[in-house]
Amino acid sequence: KQWYQRRVRGLEGALCAVTRYGKAEEGDCTMLDVLYPVCRVLQLNSSADMTTVTALCTQAADTGVMKTAELKPRAGRASYIRSEETDKCADPGAVAAATWVKAICKCFYLDDL
């Protein structure tokens, strides 16, 4: 479990740095709307088996993407585009972040192939 905790702390540190230097926060319609919920899943489920954790992370990532379709972009590239062009569209950065999360989750099952 020590390796798990180190990775969670690494993600926490990375998110703090992105928030600090990028000046974006969760709710600004960015990749952070995917990564913060995934981080919370990891924090809250350290004793769960990896099958459960990866399923919850995938679900959190998908939910984060869906939420960005309802948010007004306040940071990132989408914030420079007219709102009528971004209404009801998922943030591309959030979609990319969810793709990364899902790819990482799949890596835990490569031994089963």
Side-chain angles (χ1 to χ4, degrees), residues 51-80:
T51 301
T52 301
V53 172
T54 55
L56 291 171
C57 285
T58 298
Q59 182 180 22
D62 287 339
T63 301
V65 168
M66 289 187 296
K67 285 184 178 180
T68 65
E70 304 299 322
L71 295 171
K72 182 180 186 306
R74 294 186 300 233
R77 292 182 192 177
S79 65
Y80 302 115

PDB file of all heavy atoms in Angstrom, residues 51-80:
ATOM      1  N   THR A  51      -9.475  -3.669  -8.670  1.00  0.00           N
ATOM      2  CA  THR A  51     -10.611  -3.754  -9.590  1.00  0.00           C
ATOM      3  C   THR A  51     -11.652  -2.701  -9.227  1.00  0.00           C
ATOM      4  O   THR A  51     -12.163  -1.993 -10.100  1.00  0.00           O
ATOM      5  CB  THR A  51     -11.245  -5.167  -9.544  1.00  0.00           C
ATOM      6  OG1 THR A  51     -10.252  -6.127  -9.904  1.00  0.00           O
ATOM      7  CG2 THR A  51     -12.424  -5.273 -10.487  1.00  0.00           C
ATOM      8  N   THR A  52     -11.939  -2.567  -7.958  1.00  0.00           N
ATOM      9  CA  THR A  52     -12.897  -1.572  -7.491  1.00  0.00           C
ATOM     10  C   THR A  52     -12.371  -0.163  -7.726  1.00  0.00           C
ATOM     11  O   THR A  52     -13.097   0.703  -8.227  1.00  0.00           O
ATOM     12  CB  THR A  52     -13.204  -1.782  -5.992  1.00  0.00           C
ATOM     13  OG1 THR A  52     -13.739  -3.093  -5.822  1.00  0.00           O
ATOM     14  CG2 THR A  52     -14.175  -0.751  -5.469  1.00  0.00           C
ATOM     15  N   VAL A  53     -11.120   0.068  -7.373  1.00  0.00           N
ATOM     16  CA  VAL A  53     -10.531   1.406  -7.519  1.00  0.00           C
ATOM     17  C   VAL A  53     -10.529   1.838  -8.977  1.00  0.00           C
ATOM     18  O   VAL A  53     -10.915   2.964  -9.294  1.00  0.00           O
ATOM     19  CB  VAL A  53      -9.108   1.458  -6.924  1.00  0.00           C
ATOM     20  CG1 VAL A  53      -8.422   2.773  -7.251  1.00  0.00           C
ATOM     21  CG2 VAL A  53      -9.158   1.247  -5.416  1.00  0.00           C
ATOM     22  N   THR A  54     -10.116   0.942  -9.878  1.00  0.00           N
ATOM     23  CA  THR A  54     -10.064   1.333 -11.289  1.00  0.00           C
ATOM     24  C   THR A  54     -11.468   1.571 -11.850  1.00  0.00           C
ATOM     25  O   THR A  54     -11.666   2.495 -12.641  1.00  0.00           O
ATOM     26  CB  THR A  54      -9.305   0.302 -12.138  1.00  0.00           C
ATOM     27  OG1 THR A  54      -9.888  -0.984 -11.962  1.00  0.00           O
ATOM     28  CG2 THR A  54      -7.837   0.264 -11.766  1.00  0.00           C
ATOM     29  N   ALA A  55     -12.446   0.792 -11.422  1.00  0.00           N
ATOM     30  CA  ALA A  55     -13.823   1.011 -11.870  1.00  0.00           C
ATOM     31  C   ALA A  55     -14.340   2.365 -11.374  1.00  0.00           C
ATOM     32  O   ALA A  55     -14.964   3.114 -12.128  1.00  0.00           O
ATOM     33  CB  ALA A  55     -14.732  -0.119 -11.387  1.00  0.00           C
ATOM     34  N   LEU A  56     -14.057   2.680 -10.112  1.00  0.00           N
ATOM     35  CA  LEU A  56     -14.493   3.970  -9.557  1.00  0.00           C
ATOM     36  C   LEU A  56     -13.775   5.141 -10.227  1.00  0.00           C
ATOM     37  O   LEU A  56     -14.385   6.188 -10.464  1.00  0.00           O
ATOM     38  CB  LEU A  56     -14.268   3.995  -8.049  1.00  0.00           C
ATOM     39  CG  LEU A  56     -15.161   3.070  -7.227  1.00  0.00           C
ATOM     40  CD1 LEU A  56     -14.685   3.020  -5.774  1.00  0.00           C
ATOM     41  CD2 LEU A  56     -16.615   3.505  -7.315  1.00  0.00           C
ATOM     42  N   CYS A  57     -12.508   4.978 -10.533  1.00  0.00           N
ATOM     43  CA  CYS A  57     -11.754   6.042 -11.219  1.00  0.00           C
ATOM     44  C   CYS A  57     -12.306   6.281 -12.617  1.00  0.00           C
ATOM     45  O   CYS A  57     -12.472   7.428 -13.043  1.00  0.00           O
ATOM     46  CB  CYS A  57     -10.271   5.687 -11.300  1.00  0.00           C
ATOM     47  SG  CYS A  57      -9.386   5.886  -9.747  1.00  0.00           S
ATOM     48  N   THR A  58     -12.611   5.199 -13.323  1.00  0.00           N
ATOM     49  CA  THR A  58     -13.180   5.318 -14.664  1.00  0.00           C
ATOM     50  C   THR A  58     -14.533   6.020 -14.607  1.00  0.00           C
ATOM     51  O   THR A  58     -14.825   6.911 -15.410  1.00  0.00           O
ATOM     52  CB  THR A  58     -13.318   3.924 -15.309  1.00  0.00           C
ATOM     53  OG1 THR A  58     -12.010   3.355 -15.424  1.00  0.00           O
ATOM     54  CG2 THR A  58     -13.956   3.998 -16.677  1.00  0.00           C
ATOM     55  N   GLN A  59     -15.347   5.639 -13.627  1.00  0.00           N
ATOM     56  CA  GLN A  59     -16.660   6.273 -13.462  1.00  0.00           C
ATOM     57  C   GLN A  59     -16.509   7.756 -13.116  1.00  0.00           C
ATOM     58  O   GLN A  59     -17.225   8.603 -13.658  1.00  0.00           O
ATOM     59  CB  GLN A  59     -17.445   5.551 -12.379  1.00  0.00           C
ATOM     60  CG  GLN A  59     -18.840   6.094 -12.170  1.00  0.00           C
ATOM     61  CD  GLN A  59     -19.581   5.341 -11.075  1.00  0.00           C
ATOM     62  OE1 GLN A  59     -18.979   4.713 -10.202  1.00  0.00           O
ATOM     63  NE2 GLN A  59     -20.896   5.420 -11.103  1.00  0.00           N
ATOM     64  N   ALA A  60     -15.585   8.091 -12.231  1.00  0.00           N
ATOM     65  CA  ALA A  60     -15.359   9.494 -11.854  1.00  0.00           C
ATOM     66  C   ALA A  60     -14.889  10.302 -13.057  1.00  0.00           C
ATOM     67  O   ALA A  60     -15.299  11.455 -13.253  1.00  0.00           O
ATOM     68  CB  ALA A  60     -14.335   9.581 -10.722  1.00  0.00           C
ATOM     69  N   ALA A  61     -14.027   9.710 -13.877  1.00  0.00           N
ATOM     70  CA  ALA A  61     -13.533  10.402 -15.066  1.00  0.00           C
ATOM     71  C   ALA A  61     -14.677  10.683 -16.042  1.00  0.00           C
ATOM     72  O   ALA A  61     -14.813  11.805 -16.556  1.00  0.00           O
ATOM     73  CB  ALA A  61     -12.435   9.576 -15.740  1.00  0.00           C
ATOM     74  N   ASP A  62     -15.509   9.670 -16.296  1.00  0.00           N
ATOM     75  CA  ASP A  62     -16.648   9.859 -17.210  1.00  0.00           C
ATOM     76  C   ASP A  62     -17.628  10.897 -16.685  1.00  0.00           C
ATOM     77  O   ASP A  62     -18.132  11.737 -17.444  1.00  0.00           O
ATOM     78  CB  ASP A  62     -17.374   8.525 -17.430  1.00  0.00           C
ATOM     79  CG  ASP A  62     -16.591   7.575 -18.317  1.00  0.00           C
ATOM     80  OD1 ASP A  62     -15.716   8.031 -19.079  1.00  0.00           O
ATOM     81  OD2 ASP A  62     -16.858   6.358 -18.230  1.00  0.00           O
ATOM     82  N   THR A  63     -17.894  10.871 -15.387  1.00  0.00           N
ATOM     83  CA  THR A  63     -18.799  11.849 -14.781  1.00  0.00           C
ATOM     84  C   THR A  63     -18.220  13.252 -14.897  1.00  0.00           C
ATOM     85  O   THR A  63     -18.945  14.211 -15.208  1.00  0.00           O
ATOM     86  CB  THR A  63     -19.065  11.493 -13.309  1.00  0.00           C
ATOM     87  OG1 THR A  63     -19.647  10.190 -13.252  1.00  0.00           O
ATOM     88  CG2 THR A  63     -19.999  12.502 -12.654  1.00  0.00           C
ATOM     89  N   GLY A  64     -16.922  13.393 -14.673  1.00  0.00           N
ATOM     90  CA  GLY A  64     -16.270  14.694 -14.807  1.00  0.00           C
ATOM     91  C   GLY A  64     -16.384  15.257 -16.208  1.00  0.00           C
ATOM     92  O   GLY A  64     -16.652  16.448 -16.389  1.00  0.00           O
ATOM     93  N   VAL A  65     -16.204  14.398 -17.206  1.00  0.00           N
ATOM     94  CA  VAL A  65     -16.353  14.844 -18.597  1.00  0.00           C
ATOM     95  C   VAL A  65     -17.773  15.334 -18.840  1.00  0.00           C
ATOM     96  O   VAL A  65     -17.985  16.409 -19.414  1.00  0.00           O
ATOM     97  CB  VAL A  65     -15.993  13.712 -19.593  1.00  0.00           C
ATOM     98  CG1 VAL A  65     -16.428  14.069 -21.005  1.00  0.00           C
ATOM     99  CG2 VAL A  65     -14.504  13.431 -19.564  1.00  0.00           C
ATOM    100  N   MET A  66     -18.760  14.552 -18.404  1.00  0.00           N
ATOM    101  CA  MET A  66     -20.163  14.939 -18.622  1.00  0.00           C
ATOM    102  C   MET A  66     -20.483  16.268 -17.951  1.00  0.00           C
ATOM    103  O   MET A  66     -21.224  17.089 -18.500  1.00  0.00           O
ATOM    104  CB  MET A  66     -21.102  13.846 -18.136  1.00  0.00           C
ATOM    105  CG  MET A  66     -21.072  12.608 -19.016  1.00  0.00           C
ATOM    106  SD  MET A  66     -22.306  11.362 -18.591  1.00  0.00           S
ATOM    107  CE  MET A  66     -21.793  10.886 -16.954  1.00  0.00           C
ATOM    108  N   LYS A  67     -19.926  16.500 -16.775  1.00  0.00           N
ATOM    109  CA  LYS A  67     -20.189  17.761 -16.068  1.00  0.00           C
ATOM    110  C   LYS A  67     -19.641  18.963 -16.824  1.00  0.00           C
ATOM    111  O   LYS A  67     -20.219  20.042 -16.757  1.00  0.00           O
ATOM    112  CB  LYS A  67     -19.605  17.708 -14.660  1.00  0.00           C
ATOM    113  CG  LYS A  67     -20.413  16.860 -13.720  1.00  0.00           C
ATOM    114  CD  LYS A  67     -19.860  16.895 -12.313  1.00  0.00           C
ATOM    115  CE  LYS A  67     -20.728  16.077 -11.400  1.00  0.00           C
ATOM    116  NZ  LYS A  67     -20.247  16.060 -10.022  1.00  0.00           N
ATOM    117  N   THR A  68     -18.532  18.786 -17.545  1.00  0.00           N
ATOM    118  CA  THR A  68     -17.962  19.934 -18.269  1.00  0.00           C
ATOM    119  C   THR A  68     -18.886  20.422 -19.377  1.00  0.00           C
ATOM    120  O   THR A  68     -18.818  21.587 -19.768  1.00  0.00           O
ATOM    121  CB  THR A  68     -16.565  19.630 -18.855  1.00  0.00           C
ATOM    122  OG1 THR A  68     -16.655  18.607 -19.855  1.00  0.00           O
ATOM    123  CG2 THR A  68     -15.577  19.260 -17.773  1.00  0.00           C
ATOM    124  N   ALA A  69     -19.757  19.551 -19.864  1.00  0.00           N
ATOM    125  CA  ALA A  69     -20.707  19.968 -20.897  1.00  0.00           C
ATOM    126  C   ALA A  69     -21.723  20.966 -20.351  1.00  0.00           C
ATOM    127  O   ALA A  69     -22.339  21.717 -21.111  1.00  0.00           O
ATOM    128  CB  ALA A  69     -21.425  18.754 -21.487  1.00  0.00           C
ATOM    129  N   GLU A  70     -21.879  20.992 -19.034  1.00  0.00           N
ATOM    130  CA  GLU A  70     -22.840  21.898 -18.398  1.00  0.00           C
ATOM    131  C   GLU A  70     -22.178  23.154 -17.820  1.00  0.00           C
ATOM    132  O   GLU A  70     -22.866  24.061 -17.368  1.00  0.00           O
ATOM    133  CB  GLU A  70     -23.584  21.162 -17.281  1.00  0.00           C
ATOM    134  CG  GLU A  70     -24.287  19.895 -17.733  1.00  0.00           C
ATOM    135  CD  GLU A  70     -25.352  20.160 -18.782  1.00  0.00           C
ATOM    136  OE1 GLU A  70     -26.050  21.187 -18.690  1.00  0.00           O
ATOM    137  OE2 GLU A  70     -25.473  19.336 -19.709  1.00  0.00           O
ATOM    138  N   LEU A  71     -20.858  23.184 -17.825  1.00  0.00           N
ATOM    139  CA  LEU A  71     -20.134  24.310 -17.219  1.00  0.00           C
ATOM    140  C   LEU A  71     -19.787  25.381 -18.244  1.00  0.00           C
ATOM    141  O   LEU A  71     -19.586  25.081 -19.421  1.00  0.00           O
ATOM    142  CB  LEU A  71     -18.834  23.812 -16.572  1.00  0.00           C
ATOM    143  CG  LEU A  71     -18.969  22.860 -15.396  1.00  0.00           C
ATOM    144  CD1 LEU A  71     -17.600  22.303 -15.018  1.00  0.00           C
ATOM    145  CD2 LEU A  71     -19.592  23.569 -14.209  1.00  0.00           C
ATOM    146  N   LYS A  72     -19.682  26.595 -17.770  1.00  0.00           N
ATOM    147  CA  LYS A  72     -19.186  27.690 -18.603  1.00  0.00           C
ATOM    148  C   LYS A  72     -17.663  27.716 -18.467  1.00  0.00           C
ATOM    149  O   LYS A  72     -17.149  27.800 -17.356  1.00  0.00           O
ATOM    150  CB  LYS A  72     -19.766  29.021 -18.126  1.00  0.00           C
ATOM    151  CG  LYS A  72     -19.328  30.202 -18.962  1.00  0.00           C
ATOM    152  CD  LYS A  72     -19.952  31.478 -18.431  1.00  0.00           C
ATOM    153  CE  LYS A  72     -19.673  32.674 -19.284  1.00  0.00           C
ATOM    154  NZ  LYS A  72     -18.292  32.947 -19.568  1.00  0.00           N
ATOM    155  N   PRO A  73     -16.945  27.628 -19.585  1.00  0.00           N
ATOM    156  CA  PRO A  73     -15.480  27.638 -19.499  1.00  0.00           C
ATOM    157  C   PRO A  73     -14.954  28.947 -18.920  1.00  0.00           C
ATOM    158  O   PRO A  73     -15.270  30.023 -19.412  1.00  0.00           O
ATOM    159  CB  PRO A  73     -15.034  27.481 -20.954  1.00  0.00           C
ATOM    160  CG  PRO A  73     -16.210  26.945 -21.687  1.00  0.00           C
ATOM    161  CD  PRO A  73     -17.412  27.457 -20.948  1.00  0.00           C
ATOM    162  N   ARG A  74     -14.186  28.833 -17.826  1.00  0.00           N
ATOM    163  CA  ARG A  74     -13.608  30.021 -17.202  1.00  0.00           C
ATOM    164  C   ARG A  74     -12.086  29.997 -17.238  1.00  0.00           C
ATOM    165  O   ARG A  74     -11.438  30.931 -16.773  1.00  0.00           O
ATOM    166  CB  ARG A  74     -14.087  30.128 -15.757  1.00  0.00           C
ATOM    167  CG  ARG A  74     -15.574  30.393 -15.649  1.00  0.00           C
ATOM    168  CD  ARG A  74     -15.989  30.642 -14.228  1.00  0.00           C
ATOM    169  NE  ARG A  74     -15.677  29.487 -13.388  1.00  0.00           N
ATOM    170  CZ  ARG A  74     -16.534  28.862 -12.613  1.00  0.00           C
ATOM    171  NH1 ARG A  74     -17.763  29.282 -12.541  1.00  0.00           N
ATOM    172  NH2 ARG A  74     -16.163  27.837 -11.877  1.00  0.00           N
ATOM    173  N   ALA A  75     -11.530  28.924 -17.763  1.00  0.00           N
ATOM    174  CA  ALA A  75     -10.072  28.804 -17.864  1.00  0.00           C
ATOM    175  C   ALA A  75      -9.765  27.879 -19.030  1.00  0.00           C
ATOM    176  O   ALA A  75     -10.649  27.203 -19.559  1.00  0.00           O
ATOM    177  CB  ALA A  75      -9.490  28.254 -16.565  1.00  0.00           C
ATOM    178  N   GLY A  76      -8.518  27.856 -19.433  1.00  0.00           N
ATOM    179  CA  GLY A  76      -8.114  26.997 -20.540  1.00  0.00           C
ATOM    180  C   GLY A  76      -8.507  27.594 -21.878  1.00  0.00           C
ATOM    181  O   GLY A  76      -9.070  28.680 -21.968  1.00  0.00           O
ATOM    182  N   ARG A  77      -8.211  26.854 -22.920  1.00  0.00           N
ATOM    183  CA  ARG A  77      -8.459  27.353 -24.282  1.00  0.00           C
ATOM    184  C   ARG A  77      -9.933  27.594 -24.568  1.00  0.00           C
ATOM    185  O   ARG A  77     -10.284  28.507 -25.300  1.00  0.00           O
ATOM    186  CB  ARG A  77      -7.893  26.372 -25.298  1.00  0.00           C
ATOM    187  CG  ARG A  77      -6.399  26.313 -25.268  1.00  0.00           C
ATOM    188  CD  ARG A  77      -5.864  25.385 -26.309  1.00  0.00           C
ATOM    189  NE  ARG A  77      -4.454  25.158 -26.053  1.00  0.00           N
ATOM    190  CZ  ARG A  77      -3.716  24.354 -26.740  1.00  0.00           C
ATOM    191  NH1 ARG A  77      -4.234  23.678 -27.733  1.00  0.00           N
ATOM    192  NH2 ARG A  77      -2.448  24.201 -26.446  1.00  0.00           N
ATOM    193  N   ALA A  78     -10.798  26.756 -24.012  1.00  0.00           N
ATOM    194  CA  ALA A  78     -12.229  26.899 -24.277  1.00  0.00           C
ATOM    195  C   ALA A  78     -12.776  28.228 -23.770  1.00  0.00           C
ATOM    196  O   ALA A  78     -13.792  28.712 -24.267  1.00  0.00           O
ATOM    197  CB  ALA A  78     -12.999  25.740 -23.659  1.00  0.00           C
ATOM    198  N   SER A  79     -12.098  28.836 -22.813  1.00  0.00           N
ATOM    199  CA  SER A  79     -12.591  30.113 -22.276  1.00  0.00           C
ATOM    200  C   SER A  79     -12.448  31.251 -23.277  1.00  0.00           C
ATOM    201  O   SER A  79     -13.072  32.299 -23.116  1.00  0.00           O
ATOM    202  CB  SER A  79     -11.855  30.467 -20.977  1.00  0.00           C
ATOM    203  OG  SER A  79     -10.482  30.710 -21.219  1.00  0.00           O
ATOM    204  N   TYR A  80     -11.676  31.034 -24.338  1.00  0.00           N
ATOM    205  CA  TYR A  80     -11.482  32.078 -25.360  1.00  0.00           C
ATOM    206  C   TYR A  80     -12.472  31.960 -26.520  1.00  0.00           C
ATOM    207  O   TYR A  80     -12.475  32.771 -27.414  1.00  0.00           O
ATOM    208  CB  TYR A  80     -10.062  32.010 -25.921  1.00  0.00           C
ATOM    209  CG  TYR A  80      -9.002  32.173 -24.869  1.00  0.00           C
ATOM    210  CD1 TYR A  80      -8.130  31.140 -24.567  1.00  0.00           C
ATOM    211  CD2 TYR A  80      -8.873  33.355 -24.156  1.00  0.00           C
ATOM    212  CE1 TYR A  80      -7.147  31.277 -23.590  1.00  0.00           C
ATOM    213  CE2 TYR A  80      -7.908  33.504 -23.178  1.00  0.00           C
ATOM    214  CZ  TYR A  80      -7.054  32.463 -22.903  1.00  0.00           C
ATOM    215  OH  TYR A  80      -6.101  32.601 -21.930  1.00  0.00           O
TER     216      TYR A  80
END
